[in-house]
Amino acid sequence: MPQHDDHSQPTPPQASDSSDATLSRAPFDPAQPDTTDLASLAHLTKPLACVRCGYNLSGLSIMAVCPECATPIRATLLHAVDPKAHELAPLRRPRLLAAGLVAWTGGALLAVACIWALRVTDLTPYTADAVRVGLLRAGVIAFTVVSALGATTLIRPHVAATPVRPRLTIVGVLAYVPLLAALVVLHGIFDPRMGPAYAGLVTRVDTDRIFLRMAIGLLALVVVACLRPAARLLAQRSVVLRQHGTNRQVLLTLAISIVIAMIGDALRLGAWHLNEPQGGPIALAGVGMVICGSALATLALIGAWWDTLRLRRVILDPPLPLAELIATPDDQPAAHTTEGAQ
């Protein structure tokens, strides 16, 4: 019988102990980083609250997840880190500035809300409460004062010099003085003496009141135009406002809305000079433009107020550069070398 060669058939290799250990390793744990990835070796060196639950993520890998809610730490970094944080100039008084910004837009918004409430009472002049009307007129003045005081915090808010000249901001703040005077004349003297300005959407043509409204609109334009550069510079401190909010141009929308309302008042004056009967097409078109401009201005103020609320959080808790939050293994030898030199 032919002899079979023992080496004619290849012998399959035997699994080594190291391969067995590799196959039998523990299941993947998302909280433990993959050490084969260099990025996973970077860890947080400073306290950082989870964007979802507030857990302190200090010491964890940037590739891990929050131990409490399993939110990826990278999502928290995207929320808390600003790549341009090192370029932002330090602020003089962050808390005062944050409160002033909210008072600036919030006071203006509340003053406009009081004016809207007054116009609603004009539709029912015989059932309006005199005390409530008086409080609304006083509210217009008081909230405008609050807005003016808040605007003063926009004057030189940074420690270092900035591209925005403080003189322009000062002009905007000083424009509040004649603006307040015109509002006092309109809501504190003229309207109480002359009665409701609107009745059933048909306006009483009164040239003195229209000129007062146009003067108020012009002064409001000066305030917005002079304070807008300082506000836009502060908006650069927020990643969200820098990428989206400033592109919406809420203050520019506010200025355009004021112009629309002023054009409406000009149409009403034109109807009066043309001896158009009360409730004519030109006068009604003017009233419509006043209402549309006022509504757009109110929406723009709501947007500006909301942006200042977001900016307030950024000013009180400014974002940090990524380099100050994380450390990599490459940073550790440098630290040891420095300690040895000491």
Side-chain angles (χ1 to χ4, degrees), residues 42-235:
H43 61 278
L44 298 174
T45 59
K46 290 188 177 182
L48 181 65
C50 174
V51 68
R52 184 175 181 181
C53 68
Y55 182 83
N56 186 7
L57 304 174
S58 178
L60 298 178
S61 167
I62 63 173
M63 303 299 291
V65 298
C66 174
E68 291 290 330
C69 63
T71 300
I73 294 180
R74 285 169 291 180
T76 300
L77 288 175
L78 290 175
H79 177 79
V81 171
D82 187 354
K84 292 187 176 182
H86 62 283
E87 302 177 7
L88 302 176
L91 299 172
R92 293 180 184 273
R93 292 176 284 270
R95 293 185 179 275
L96 180 62
L97 177 62
L101 285 174
V102 177
W104 173 46
T105 56
L109 181 60
L110 289 174
V112 169
C114 290
I115 295 175
W116 276 110
L118 286 171
R119 299 290 75 84
V120 171
T121 59
D122 288 347
L123 302 179
T124 56
Y126 301 105
T127 59
D129 185 5
V131 176
R132 182 179 60 185
V133 171
L135 290 175
L136 290 174
R137 288 170 177 162
V140 174
I141 310 301
F143 289 127
T144 305
V145 171
V146 172
S147 179
L149 293 176
T152 59
T153 60
L154 295 174
I155 302 175
R156 296 186 65 113
H158 301 91
V159 175
T162 60
V164 179
R165 297 180 179 179
R167 294 180 181 177
L168 185 64
T169 308
I170 293 174
V171 171
V173 173
L174 291 178
Y176 270 99
V177 176
L179 176 62
L180 279 167
L183 288 173
V184 168
V185 172
L186 179 63
H187 295 286
I189 300 175
F190 194 90
D191 281 354
R193 185 182 65 207
M194 301 300 295
Y198 297 87
L201 294 181
V202 178
T203 178
R204 181 189 71 246
V205 178
D206 194 312
T207 56
D208 292 336
R209 192 179 194 282
I210 294 176
F211 280 126
L212 270 175
R213 280 182 46 85
M214 296 182 71
I216 291 172
L218 182 60
L219 291 169
L221 281 177
V222 174
V223 170
V224 173
C226 294
L227 298 183
R228 181 171 174 263
R232 284 178 58 83
L233 182 62
L234 287 173

Side-chain angles (χ1 to χ4, degrees), residues 17-34:
D17 295 340
S18 60
S19 62
D20 291 340
T22 303
L23 294 175
S24 60
R25 63 183 181 181
F28 173 71
D29 185 0
Q32 299 296 328
D34 184 5

